[in-house]
Amino acid sequence: MHNKRVRIQYRPARPADVRAIVELTAPYSARRILIAKELIAYFEDIQEFIVAQDMDADGEPIVGCGALHVLWDDIAEIRTLAVAPDYIGMGIGSKIFTFLEDKAREMQLKRLFCLTFEVDFFTKHGFKEIEGTPVGTDVYQEMLRSRDAGVEEFLDLAKVKPNTLGNTRMLKELD
């Protein structure tokens, strides 16, 4: 972790950030903490991401990221929340989460979902562990049509179980 104060800028991600996001998340994907995704998936979803950029470091690297992925009319998933190892403990993940939660509120969403190993972090931010999928049967049937791997994880489908082993399903009600 940095001992000195750093200036972190938070902003919506741009297509030019995709490779830096992939580089940032790769170690987490390798350890199965984040689900590995193809490069094209990051480009397709870039508008969902917020990034944290160290304005004091050479090249102003991306040191954190997170995405808000709408699942249905009242619920979205917090995805791909990651912070560079040297920057953990500086509040960057919490700040990114706050931006994503604010965005969810602006969109008038009522609930946030996450599938995570970081139970303490999400509990601190108001999430509670859940069992199963927090949507009705009719919505579940509609969501089965999605080709998005994250939606498959949300639905807790058997074919994604090897990828999600050990993850905790969590939900936050927004007021």
Side-chain angles (χ1 to χ4, degrees):
M1 178 168 42
H2 286 276
N3 291 329
K4 67 178 186 109
R5 266 185 100 82
V6 295
R7 284 183 310 128
I8 303 294
Q9 177 187 43
Y10 299 88
R11 61 172 174 76
R14 302 184 283 253
D17 299 324
V18 166
R19 285 175 177 79
I21 292 169
V22 170
E23 189 176 312
L24 172 67
T25 59
Y28 295 104
S29 298
R31 296 190 340 250
R32 301 188 91 133
I33 293 170
L34 290 177
I35 303 299
K37 293 192 268 192
E38 298 293 329
L39 182 63
I40 186 65
Y42 285 98
F43 278 107
E44 290 173 342
D45 298 338
I46 195 64
Q47 70 279 2
E48 299 177 351
F49 278 84
I50 296 289
V51 295
Q53 193 169 13
D54 183 344
M55 303 308 287
D56 293 330
D58 290 340
E60 299 178 349
I62 300 297
V63 297
C65 67
L68 181 73
H69 182 79
V70 174
L71 295 168
W72 204 249
D73 57 357
D74 70 332
I75 189 168
E77 180 181 6
I78 300 291
R79 289 185 174 180
T80 322
L81 185 56
V83 176
D86 289 348
Y87 292 78
I88 290 174
M90 298 174 66
I92 294 170
S94 290
K95 188 79 168 170
I96 291 170
F97 172 80
T98 299
F99 278 109
L100 296 173
E101 182 178 32
D102 289 348
K103 186 175 177 183
R105 288 179 195 284
E106 286 171 19
M107 297 172 78
Q108 300 180 343
L109 296 169
K110 303 290 184 227
R111 302 177 295 163
L112 291 175
F113 171 80
C114 71
L115 184 63
T116 186
F117 286 106
E118 299 295 334
V119 174
D120 291 344
F121 174 86
F122 283 98
T123 299
K124 182 176 89 176
H125 290 344
F127 282 75
K128 292 181 175 27
E129 291 185 38
I130 61 165
E131 295 291 325
T133 305
V135 293
T137 307
D138 55 336
V139 173
Y140 185 93
Q141 290 301 320
E142 284 290 327
M143 291 178 87
L144 280 174
R145 297 179 179 160
S146 175
R147 295 172 192 251
D148 184 280
V151 172
E152 293 172 345
E153 295 160 15
F154 172 76
L155 296 176
D156 207 19
L157 301 180
K159 68 181 180 180
V160 297
K161 290 284 191 204
N163 293 331
T164 61
L165 224 48
N167 280 331
T168 300
R169 305 169 71 70
M170 300 186 81
L171 192 71
K172 178 177 183 172
E173 301 282 340
L174 300 176
D175 40 352

